[in-house]
Amino acid sequence: MTRKEFENILPTIRTQTFNIGYRFFGNRDDAEEVAQESLLRLWQYCQQLDSEQDIKLLATKVAKRVSIDIYRQYHKIETTELDNTSPPTADNSYAPDSKIITDDTQTIIDNSINQLQNREKQLIKLTQEDIDTTEIARQTNLPVRSVRSMIAMAKNKIKKNILKQQS
């Protein structure tokens, strides 16, 4: 896409990115910021794109990501590592039964996973290894949408099985 083509489509893209920002934040100032930042980012890639449709699709994705980036910038979200957490007792030492509870919970999860079909087990194990859905799709020769859908259904089955076992 040439500079002239980009300038011709600019009003449409600006309106599109502004609307996404406005729906996300609900105010004009932040929506303006989303539109401006999105247009700057799009300008960097416009020469690599072939058609007007490509730039419109990319504009939507960029505006959503910019909205999230701005939100994170305004609202520093504090996170906590969950690796070595356990409910402390009154003297701040770890509860002696926490290991038993953890083991029981893991057993319930493992039983729920074992009740899945083989393909679902395979997908869940790949997600547990922190492999993204695109790579899982490549490894399993499935479309990305199918992988996402199958993972979501498998997780729902696991959740239902866990709830059954806990009641």
Side-chain angles (χ1 to χ4, degrees):
M1 173 174 282
T2 65
R3 178 184 177 138
K4 185 71 172 162
E5 291 172 327
F6 185 78
E7 288 174 358
N8 288 338
I9 195 168
L10 189 65
T12 306
I13 296 172
R14 189 185 185 304
T15 302
Q16 179 183 349
T17 56
F18 177 86
N19 288 339
I20 291 170
Y22 192 80
R23 282 194 305 268
F24 190 90
F25 289 105
N27 67 60
R28 296 186 63 80
D29 292 336
D30 290 332
E32 282 291 335
E33 189 173 347
V34 169
Q36 289 298 319
E37 181 64 27
S38 297
L39 293 175
L40 284 173
R41 290 185 187 182
L42 285 169
W43 173 245
Q44 295 173 342
Y45 295 104
C46 80
Q47 291 149 353
Q48 299 169 4
L49 301 172
D50 295 330
S51 70
E52 188 175 310
Q53 185 174 1
D54 289 344
I55 193 88
K56 286 181 179 179
L57 291 172
L58 184 59
T60 299
K61 290 181 181 181
V62 168
K64 288 178 180 179
R65 289 186 180 161
V66 166
S67 297
I68 292 169
D69 289 346
I70 292 171
Y71 179 82
R72 287 179 179 159
Q73 190 177 24
Y74 288 157
H75 304 90
K76 296 280 186 198
I77 301 171
E78 291 190 28
T79 58
T80 306
E81 283 294 324
L82 297 177
D83 289 343
N84 295 320
T85 57
S86 159
T89 58
D91 64 351
N92 286 333
S93 63
Y94 290 107
D97 60 344
S98 66
K99 173 89 169 112
I100 296 169
I101 293 169
T102 303
D103 290 346
D104 288 347
T105 304
Q106 189 61 49
T107 302
I108 291 171
I109 292 170
D110 291 341
N111 288 340
S112 298
I113 291 173
N114 287 332
Q115 292 177 14
L116 296 174
Q117 296 175 2
N118 288 336
R119 176 65 71 150
E120 293 169 327
K121 281 184 212 177
Q122 176 190 19
L123 295 175
I124 291 297
K125 287 180 181 179
L126 289 171
T127 58
Q128 288 175 332
E129 295 172 8
D130 288 332
I131 299 174
D132 68 338
T133 52
T134 308
E135 178 61 22
I136 292 172
R138 190 188 66 71
Q139 288 181 15
T140 59
N141 294 323
L142 293 171
V144 175
R145 284 186 173 183
S146 296
V147 169
R148 288 184 182 137
S149 177
M150 292 172 75
I151 290 171
M153 288 189 295
K155 286 180 179 180
N156 282 334
K157 287 181 182 179
I158 291 169
K159 180 180 175 183
K160 287 178 185 176
N161 287 334
I162 290 171
L163 293 173
K164 279 182 193 176
Q165 290 183 33
Q166 288 179 339
S167 59

